[in-house]
Amino acid sequence: MQLLQQLRQQQLIRPLDTQFARFIRDEELSISGQAEVNDALPLLAALVSLQLGRGEVCLPLNGWGVLMENWPSVLRKPAEQLLQGLCENTLIGFSVITDGAQEAPLVLSSGRLYLYRYWLYETDVAARIQQLAAPIPLNRDSIKAGLRRLFIDRLAGEIDWQQIAVAIAISRRFSVISGGPGTGKTTTVARLLALYAESFSQQMQRAPLIKLAAPTGKAAARLSESLAGAREGLPVSDAICAMIPNQAVTLHRLLGPRPDSKNFRHNAENPLHLDLLVVDEASMIDLPMIYRLLSALPPHAQLIMIGDRDQLASVEAGSVLGDICSWDNQAGVSVQASDSEVSTGLCYRPAQLEYLQEVCELPAPVSAPGSSSISDALALLRRSYRFDESSGIGYLARAVNRGDGLQAMQLFDQPWEDIRFMALSDEGYEEMVSEVCAGYAVYLKQLQQRSEPRLLLKAFNQIQLLAVVRQGIYGVDGLNQAVEEHLQRQRLISLTGDWYIGRPVMIIRNDYQLGLFNGDIGITVADEDGRLRVWFELSDGEMKGVLPGRLPEHETVYAMTVHKSQGSEFDQVVMILPAEDTPLLTRELIYTGITRAKSKFALQATPQAFIKGSHRRTERASGLSWRLWQATGASATEI
């Protein structure tokens, strides 16, 4: 324990990690009846706890070296000596570690050490997904006719990836549709829901109960808005169109939170009342949440997850969407695609391919090696309709996604109208702040004209400043202060205290009674009596005004982290990278920041930081991908 105290003093582990290590040591002494414990055990326990705090689900036995690589040698060497020679047989000898057959604080499984609860989450989620991903009986003639009608604009002999996605999702009780920005995810969902409603109502002689959800209120509101527009013009009857919902809720609201508890009202004993659940922005879902969601799914229901597998993983533990869609690590062949499409190694097994060829009337496929049964439940939208050949944002996002930071950097030297690079310097910083404030001046001038809160929020979302870190002048805190000071000099705001007219805030802690959730953004407005209220647009489209003193934990949001921007889109994005390299700066983070922009993107950074960050991939320790993809099955074919 002396080593752990030294690690704690150096802030290399957290107090929580030390406390957990002490708990494991005491449990081992109590259960085993021995007088002392091998010091390697509490160290391992601390590392497992530390991993969880970093978003990792487990500690690979061959991965603790990565955790310790930046430790001072005076601490790293004794830690390595303690762990040297440990193997699975040695670890199973401890009373507090089992293989999962018996409940214990720690579980060793397939070379990975877990907290028991997270091992249970992972194994249960993998088993449920594999069960739900099996094909369900369908009337192929009816599905084929519906697909032909819904995708009547498809050119003869051309593969329509949206049509493929609909055909896959309708044929499984679990499916994933992944695609980058502008690939038509909302359009695909609208057509999918139309086909599902037709098929279900014909078979069951009643309207299906369809629910839409997303991890955050902002993402739910955006899904509601976009799907309401996508429903218009669908070649279906008014009765079918009426069965398609256009209001989404947050996952927390869907599951029914219980006050002062992490548990939800809906669970395996009290499942959700629905036939089909569509969840958007699935990359934001962590392992505990997907476990609770799958547990609450009725036995007959279908779950369709929508998202971008290349975005940042969830803030909490796990990389669920990335693990499910980890076909890159499996045998496969990439199709040669144009630069406005996505190359992929996603393959399908013969039975699934035969089904897709029949109902989608596909041309001859391209052969590829074997794959897993889970691949039959996955679809990838490969063509971007927003970022075409004339879009610098599209080229930039694809270059970063390939890890080609050098080519991405060179794109800024080309005459694109929608991307711009600003050097990181004192002068450039002031220029960037001035540019951002010019964008925010639009909503503040509307505020002076007493525009309604809904219009203020819409104007505020025209531009967003994104940062990687929180502290320092290049972090959220410093940027918010710089923007406030500039707007004060421009007399657009009056800083009279913490609260002032026009202050934008983001909720950072859920408040179920108020109906405000992490990520919700509000604008501070004075009512006719001069009292301040913060106005939010809820996921159902309603406006809600709340007195500042009643708000849950919140922060000013002229600038936000890239993590917090997930689930949102803005007309213009300005992203600033820190001057010093940080492990937070990864390919997925940069890609996510770029793809928040719909029309213009500006980057302020050093070229070195941008290129290095584009090369660095986020890799989270988890066994979910292995559990889902370990069965190679028969040979598969790629479309």
Side-chain angles (χ1 to χ4, degrees), residues 176-183 185 222 279-285 305-314 319-323 325 327 342 379-381 384 386-387 397-398 401 566-567 569 587-588 590-596:
V176 173
I177 300 175
S178 177
T183 52
K185 292 189 290 291
R222 193 162 63 87
V279 179
D280 197 14
E281 296 294 344
S283 63
M284 301 171 68
I285 301 176
M305 295 173 62
I306 313 295
D308 184 349
R309 71 182 186 123
D310 296 315
Q311 280 192 31
L312 278 167
S314 58
S319 179
V320 174
L321 185 65
D323 285 343
C325 297
W327 59 75
V342 178
L380 180 66
L381 303 180
S384 176
R386 179 189 304 168
F387 302 136
R398 288 189 289 273
N401 209 7
Q566 283 186 275
E569 290 181 339
R587 179 187 310 179
E588 292 81 4
I590 295 173
Y591 170 82
T592 300
I594 294 170
T595 54
R596 298 311 87 202

Side-chain angles (χ1 to χ4, degrees), residues 523-588:
I523 301 292
T524 309
V525 180
D527 60 22
E528 294 179 354
D529 299 327
R531 289 195 307 172
L532 297 182
R533 290 184 183 271
V534 187
W535 286 90
F536 298 86
E537 183 173 6
L538 305 181
S539 59
D540 60 3
E542 293 295 315
M543 299 299 299
K544 186 181 185 72
V546 182
L547 295 173
R550 293 192 62 204
L551 288 180
E553 193 173 349
H554 56 273
E555 61 187 13
T556 302
V557 72
Y558 294 111
M560 69 172 71
T561 62
V562 177
H563 275 91
K564 288 290 187 182
S565 73
Q566 283 186 275
S568 301
E569 290 181 339
F570 311 94
D571 281 355
Q572 182 178 354
V573 165
V574 177
M575 182 166 68
I576 183 168
L577 306 187
E580 301 295 329
D581 186 41
T582 168
L584 293 174
L585 189 57
T586 64
R587 179 187 310 179
E588 292 81 4

